[in-house]
């Protein structure tokens, strides 16, 4: 599993803590501008519906991908809009799903980080029903209903493709957890050049989503 692909994991969080960079330095220093720009891209993905994928290789690219994630969460928190929070979590989950498809060897380690412990290596995999329910609680299609799954000694079978879809939902839950954060006003002021454009785009999105139902008669 490439931790730069999944900055929401425990391993990625430990890596970020190990860098020793303070939030203030990441926001204020010119040398960290590429990280702030990538964070801005991540939040923009919440508006457009898709975060631009980046294949990273160099150490600086890995660092930017990992550190941009907490900065993006700070930007989201400064705005404090629940619609933006939900759309951001969805966009990060979609990005993670596309990366799972690109690197199938990293699926099982990622599953472990998300609290899913599939048994087996190839199709079909086995997963405990309690983990399945936790991951599939938003899935509305009949095929995801537990009653439509073969249950054997507390386990059911799924394909790797189905596992990736379940993990996408779990990433969504993990990203949204804790948002919005409590952020000091001075931190938000330091990110104003990124916050203002996002706020304008968010307002435009909300305006497009409004539907005129016409005159309502009692």
């Amino acid at each position: 599993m490439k931790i730069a692909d999944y900055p929401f994991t425990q391993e990625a969080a430990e890596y970020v803590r190990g860098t020793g960079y303070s939030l203030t330095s990441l926001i204020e220093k010119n040398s960290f501008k590429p990280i702030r720009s990538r964070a801005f891209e991540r939040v923009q993905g919440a508006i457009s519906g898709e975060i631009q994928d980046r294949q990273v290789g160099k150490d600086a690219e890995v660092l930017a991908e990992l550190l941009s994630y907490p900065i993006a969460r700070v930007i989201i928190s400064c705005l404090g809009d629940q619609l933006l929070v939900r759309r951001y979590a969805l966009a990060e989950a979609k990005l993670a799903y596309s990366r799972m498809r690109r690197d199938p060897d990293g699926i099982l380690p990622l599953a472990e980080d998300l609290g899913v412990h599939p048994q087996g290596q190839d199709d079909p995999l086995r997963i405990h029903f309690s983990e399945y329910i936790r991951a599939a609680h938003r899935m509305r299609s009949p095929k995801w209903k537990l009653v439509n799954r073969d249950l054997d000694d507390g386990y059911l079978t799924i394909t790797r493709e189905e596992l990736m879809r379940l993990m996408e939902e779990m990433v969504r839950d993990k990203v949204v957890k804790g948002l919005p954060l409590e952020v000091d006003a001075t931190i938000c002021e330091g990110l104003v050049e990124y916050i203002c454009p996002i706020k304008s785009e968010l307002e435009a999105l909300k305006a497009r989503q409004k539907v005129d139902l016409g005159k309502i008669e009692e």
Side-chain angles (χ1 to χ4, degrees), residues 2 5 53-58 61 65 99 102:
K2 300 174 183 177
D5 284 347
D53 196 0
R54 286 190 180 184
Q55 297 191 37
V56 300
K58 298 178 182 178
E61 294 171 339
E65 197 66 13
R99 287 173 167 176
R102 189 177 72 203

Side-chain angles (χ1 to χ4, degrees), residues 112-168:
E112 292 286 334
D113 183 271
L114 293 170
V116 182
H117 308 88
Q119 298 179 354
Q121 295 293 326
D122 300 312
D123 286 344
L125 300 166
R126 281 163 52 88
I127 183 175
H128 195 266
F129 81 94
S130 61
E131 296 175 350
Y132 179 86
I133 291 172
R134 180 162 55 91
H137 67 95
R138 265 191 303 264
M139 316 289 256
R140 298 297 177 225
S141 174
K143 82 167 191 173
W144 296 104
K145 300 291 185 183
L146 188 60
V147 294
N148 294 326
R149 294 277 170 171
D150 293 328
L151 201 61
D152 180 23
D153 195 27
Y155 286 82
L156 52 89
T157 57
I158 58 173
T159 65
R160 288 176 72 90
E161 177 62 31
E162 288 173 334
L163 175 61
M164 287 190 292
R165 273 293 293 120
L166 291 172
M167 289 165 62
E168 180 183 0

Side-chain angles (χ1 to χ4, degrees), residues 28-183:
E28 293 180 352
K29 289 187 177 180
N30 286 333
S31 56
F32 292 131
K33 190 172 179 62
I35 292 172
R36 296 192 295 272
S37 296
R38 177 55 174 163
F40 177 68
E41 281 184 6
R42 300 187 92 100
V43 182
Q44 271 193 317
I47 307 295
S48 67
E50 182 180 7
I51 299 173
Q52 181 183 353
D53 196 0
R54 286 190 180 184
Q55 297 191 37
V56 300
K58 298 178 182 178
D59 289 347
E61 294 171 339
V62 170
L63 194 63
E65 197 66 13
L66 289 171
L67 292 175
S68 65
Y69 176 72
I71 298 300
R73 289 172 68 84
V74 170
I75 294 173
I76 294 282
S77 299
C78 287
L79 287 160
D81 187 280
Q82 285 299 322
L83 173 63
L84 184 60
V85 168
R86 293 193 299 270
R87 290 183 67 94
Y88 174 66
L90 180 59
E92 286 284 3
K94 286 181 178 179
L95 176 61
Y97 176 76
S98 69
R99 287 173 167 176
M100 288 182 233
R101 294 184 64 86
R102 189 177 72 203
D103 180 26
D105 291 339
I107 293 174
L108 296 184
L110 177 60
E112 292 286 334
D113 183 271
L114 293 170
V116 182
H117 308 88
Q119 298 179 354
Q121 295 293 326
D122 300 312
D123 286 344
L125 300 166
R126 281 163 52 88
I127 183 175
H128 195 266
F129 81 94
S130 61
E131 296 175 350
Y132 179 86
I133 291 172
R134 180 162 55 91
H137 67 95
R138 265 191 303 264
M139 316 289 256
R140 298 297 177 225
S141 174
K143 82 167 191 173
W144 296 104
K145 300 291 185 183
L146 188 60
V147 294
N148 294 326
R149 294 277 170 171
D150 293 328
L151 201 61
D152 180 23
D153 195 27
Y155 286 82
L156 52 89
T157 57
I158 58 173
T159 65
R160 288 176 72 90
E161 177 62 31
E162 288 173 334
L163 175 61
M164 287 190 292
R165 273 293 293 120
L166 291 172
M167 289 165 62
E168 180 183 0
E169 291 301 311
M170 297 187 78
V171 170
R172 187 174 166 185
D173 288 336
K174 189 165 187 176
V175 172
V176 81
K177 187 177 181 180
L179 287 177
L181 309 167
E182 290 187 12
V183 182

